Amino acid sequence: MKIRSFFVSVLLLAVSFSMMASSFVTASGGHLYRDGKPYYFIGTNLWYAPILASEGEGGNRGRLLSELDMLHRMGVNNLRILVGADAGSANANSVVPCLQAKPGVLNDTLLAGLDYLLVEMGKRDMTGVFYLTNSWDWSGGYGYYLREVGYGDSPDATAHYNAYVDYAADFLRDGKARKLYLDFVERIVSRTNRYTGVAYKDDPTIMSWQICNEPRPFSKETKESFARWISETAKLIKRIAPRQLVSTGSEGLYGCEVDEQLCERIHNDPNVDYLTLHIWPINWRWATSDRLFQALPNVYLRSGEYIDIHERIARNIGKPMVIEEFGYARDNNFYYPGAGTRSRDSFYNFIFSKVQESKENQGPLVGCNFWGWGGSGRPAGKTWKRGNDYLCDPPHEPQGWYSVYDCDSTTLSAISEAVRKLEK
């Protein structure tokens, strides 16, 4: 047993050193750098990766490794990931299993999954953006913390959007709810990986800790509290993990009550390292699901204008920026594997070209993460149910709507070609 323990220790040390082989991603002068070189990337969203990496409900390490290998072969080496879901609302189809059922009570199986995921990403020299909560109820988020301090259950954000917005705004008003969130942040960022003994704060695989997925004030009256919360959280993360980047997870202007000054303010915080934006042409009604291809000229125009606004902000504050979410439906708004992707491929190529153009002109746009990777997962129906494959479409959205399957050959080719051009 002693001999076996010795070899296990050697193996863990080897893994630890391999994880430390590459340097941390840093931000300076409006650009990202890694290993002393400018860092540009074409990445994806893979929010469910820690669940796949676990050995409990929803876990499938074989699928996880296969997905990571395929993405790595394509050159997609930056992943945006949800640390873990909170217990969901009874009124929403939320993620299960959840990491946080009660404040301070975390699912150890899912924590092991997060540890394992970091090891496997490190082996492939991948970097990750890990977001710590959500403004939406599909993974608990704001509503979870409000329920824990005595608020009633949150309205379903999909069916009763305005009611949900009114409810969620109270997160920014309630100091007790925010304190529970900060306690969770401190616990996660301070964690040490059980498999390697490497503290999370010392792991360069973690490119960025992200405050929230699509944080919003949800009210003009809470904009000041929103900005203070972003600043307070960023400061806490930097205190614990000064070598890792901090990002907001904001959609940009649309996540700031269409207030450009607020968008600039939260990203100009000294502890926030880069600006983020999201682009959702169908959700934002720049296109309709029955005219996806015909709407592309308008989509390009509106997307270009949105990017330009944020480039101006990024230049003003001297920081890089990332389009960390963008998506487009399949042709005819179909969800199943094999459905056409002509419109999607065209939109993806437009976004990829903006990153390439920025690199050539030394602009602030340094990367993008398409939404999102469904890989070998397949929908069992339009609505996700417990036991179904995880796709990148959250449980409340039609399964396969925005996910890229491993059989979407033209989309995979477009992604690989964009990576190849960016690496030249």
Side-chain angles (χ1 to χ4, degrees):
M1 289 299 293
K2 289 182 179 179
I3 294 175
R4 181 184 177 191
S5 298
F6 170 77
F7 282 113
V8 169
S9 298
V10 170
L11 177 61
L12 290 180
L13 282 172
V15 172
S16 298
F17 285 125
S18 71
M19 290 172 64
M20 303 300 291
S22 293
S23 62
F24 288 89
V25 178
T26 61
S28 176
H31 299 282
L32 295 181
Y33 295 89
R34 193 177 192 214
D35 297 324
K37 301 175 183 177
Y39 181 60
Y40 293 86
F41 62 87
I42 304 293
T44 190
N45 283 266
L46 195 70
W47 66 260
Y48 55 92
I51 300 178
L52 282 188
S54 77
E55 293 184 297
E57 179 183 357
N60 188 335
R61 288 185 170 179
R63 179 185 167 193
L64 173 77
L65 300 184
S66 177
E67 304 289 16
L68 294 180
D69 285 342
M70 186 169 189
L71 289 167
H72 184 59
R73 286 195 299 271
M74 293 166 58
V76 177
N77 291 317
N78 181 272
L79 311 179
R80 184 167 175 263
I81 293 161
L82 173 65
V83 167
D86 311 301
S89 166
N91 298 321
N93 189 23
S94 302
V95 172
V96 287
C98 69
L99 173 61
Q100 185 172 210
K102 298 292 291 182
V105 181
L106 304 184
N107 183 325
D108 192 63
T109 301
L110 289 178
L111 287 175
L114 189 59
D115 292 345
Y116 182 83
L117 171 65
L118 284 168
V119 172
E120 292 301 327
M121 288 176 62
K123 289 178 182 178
R124 294 160 178 79
D125 200 26
M126 289 177 155
T127 60
V129 176
F130 291 83
Y131 51 98
L132 292 152
T133 193
N134 201 341
S135 71
W136 305 108
D137 58 1
W138 63 264
S139 69
Y142 281 15
Y144 165 79
Y145 292 105
L146 287 171
R147 287 191 300 278
E148 291 300 323
V149 296
Y151 289 72
D153 225 348
S154 58
D156 182 352
T158 303
H160 305 287
Y161 179 77
N162 290 333
Y164 180 80
V165 165
D166 291 341
Y167 172 92
D170 282 334
F171 175 74
L172 283 311
R173 298 185 180 103
D174 196 295
K176 292 180 180 178
R178 296 196 307 276
K179 175 62 165 58
L180 290 180
Y181 159 77
L182 290 172
D183 290 345
F184 172 77
V185 170
E186 184 162 11
R187 183 168 178 182
I188 292 297
V189 180
S190 301
R191 182 173 172 76
T192 294
N193 193 309
R194 75 185 62 197
Y195 297 114
T196 64
V198 175
Y200 277 15
K201 66 183 178 65
D202 295 325
D203 187 350
T205 304
I206 300 172
M207 175 181 115
S208 175
W209 291 109
Q210 193 155 92
I211 293 169
C212 183
N213 175 58
E214 299 192 341
R216 290 188 177 194
F218 285 124
S219 166
K220 292 180 179 179
E221 291 71 33
T222 54
K223 289 194 290 187
E224 183 64 29
S225 298
F226 173 73
R228 288 199 302 268
W229 170 62
I230 292 290
S231 182
E232 180 182 23
T233 308
K235 184 177 181 180
L236 170 64
I237 296 171
K238 277 294 185 184
R239 177 176 62 78
I240 302 168
R243 291 193 291 173
Q244 290 163 335
L245 303 181
V246 175
S247 52
T248 64
S250 174
E251 300 145 279
L253 198 61
Y254 283 5
C256 293
E257 299 296 316
V258 199
D259 183 337
E260 189 170 330
Q261 288 184 330
L262 179 61
C263 184
E264 181 165 331
R265 176 181 173 182
I266 65 171
H267 290 105
N268 198 32
D269 186 274
N271 294 307
V272 172
D273 293 291
Y274 60 94
L275 181 150
T276 63
L277 67 150
H278 300 180
I279 302 179
W280 291 104
I282 301 170
N283 304 59
W284 295 350
R285 299 181 181 177
W286 298 350
T288 57
S289 56
D290 61 336
R291 293 179 60 81
L292 293 171
F293 192 77
Q294 296 89 330
L296 283 173
N298 182 59
V299 167
Y300 297 156
L301 175 65
R302 300 291 295 274
S303 299
E305 290 173 344
Y306 199 66
I307 293 169
D308 288 346
I309 290 169
H310 295 87
E311 279 203 337
R312 182 175 68 246
I313 295 172
R315 291 182 189 279
N316 285 346
I317 63 179
K319 296 182 181 181
M321 67 182 234
V322 174
I323 304 173
E324 60 176 19
E325 281 188 24
F326 63 97
Y328 211 67
R330 298 169 184 281
D331 298 343
N332 301 309
N333 211 38
F334 291 150
Y335 309 136
Y336 56 83
T341 58
R342 180 176 66 153
S343 301
R344 171 181 293 174
D345 297 348
S346 298
F347 178 61
Y348 273 29
N349 281 326
F350 172 81
I351 298 296
F352 296 154
S353 73
K354 288 295 183 180
V355 180
Q356 181 67 36
E357 178 183 317
S358 180
K359 180 182 179 183
E360 292 170 357
N361 297 323
Q362 296 188 322
L365 178 58
V366 298
C368 65
N369 298 77
F370 62 88
W371 189 288
W373 186 252
S376 62
R378 295 293 183 266
K382 189 173 180 180
T383 301
W384 185 86
K385 295 179 181 178
R386 203 164 188 159
N388 290 354
D389 284 350
Y390 293 100
L391 301 176
C392 212
D393 307 289
H396 70 290
E397 290 186 341
Q399 297 299 287
W401 191 19
Y402 289 124
S403 288
V404 174
Y405 297 119
D406 58 3
C407 60
D408 291 334
S409 58
T410 57
T411 306
L412 302 185
S413 294
I415 295 165
S416 297
E417 179 63 13
V419 171
R420 186 189 66 79
K421 287 182 179 178
L422 201 58
E423 289 178 345
K424 280 186 176 180

